[in-house]
Amino acid sequence: MTEARARFAPGDRVRVRREYPPTHFRTPLYAQGKTGVVEHLYGAYRNPEDLAYARDGLPKAPLYRVRFEQTHLWPEYAGAAHDTLCIDLYDHWLEPSEGGL
């Protein structure tokens, strides 16, 4: 079965692409354009954005758990400054980031 190679590893800083495709997508709008840190690589899975349209979802895409500081996602966040949120994101939504959080 076809599978894309993981581009990121735990500890890598990544930025979520900004894109508003006219089709089904599984990336929260509030995370788009934001920077986080890869916490875990789950492996490669069929792309749910393709599966939603009865396509085969291939090639399989790496799926990561990415950690974001909540104050970075929501500047007016009233919780503790160290609170974080983890989001599962597919490789094609991520790009390398050299900047800080």
Side-chain angles (χ1 to χ4, degrees):
M1 194 171 284
T2 307
E3 186 174 304
R5 176 173 266 227
R7 296 183 298 148
F8 306 107
D12 288 350
R13 290 190 187 283
V14 293
R15 180 174 292 109
V16 181
R17 285 188 307 115
R18 270 188 209 271
E19 187 171 330
Y20 307 97
T23 60
H24 174 79
F25 62 97
R26 297 182 52 94
T27 298
L29 291 174
Y30 62 81
Q32 291 187 19
K34 305 297 183 176
T35 301
V37 176
V38 173
E39 290 241 316
H40 182 72
L41 169 61
Y42 292 110
Y45 298 88
R46 295 191 303 162
N47 184 342
E49 295 169 357
D50 285 341
L51 293 173
Y53 293 94
R55 296 188 288 254
D56 65 9
L58 298 175
K60 286 185 174 182
L63 177 63
Y64 306 91
R65 180 175 61 229
V66 181
R67 178 179 39 85
F68 298 88
E69 293 179 10
Q70 293 215 42
T71 54
H72 183 63
L73 294 173
W74 299 287
E76 296 178 16
Y77 179 71
H82 63 273
D83 285 352
T84 60
L85 176 72
C86 290
I87 305 173
D88 294 341
L89 297 164
Y90 280 88
D91 188 272
H92 62 276
W93 276 96
L94 301 175
E95 55 192 26
S97 174
E98 298 298 324
L101 296 177

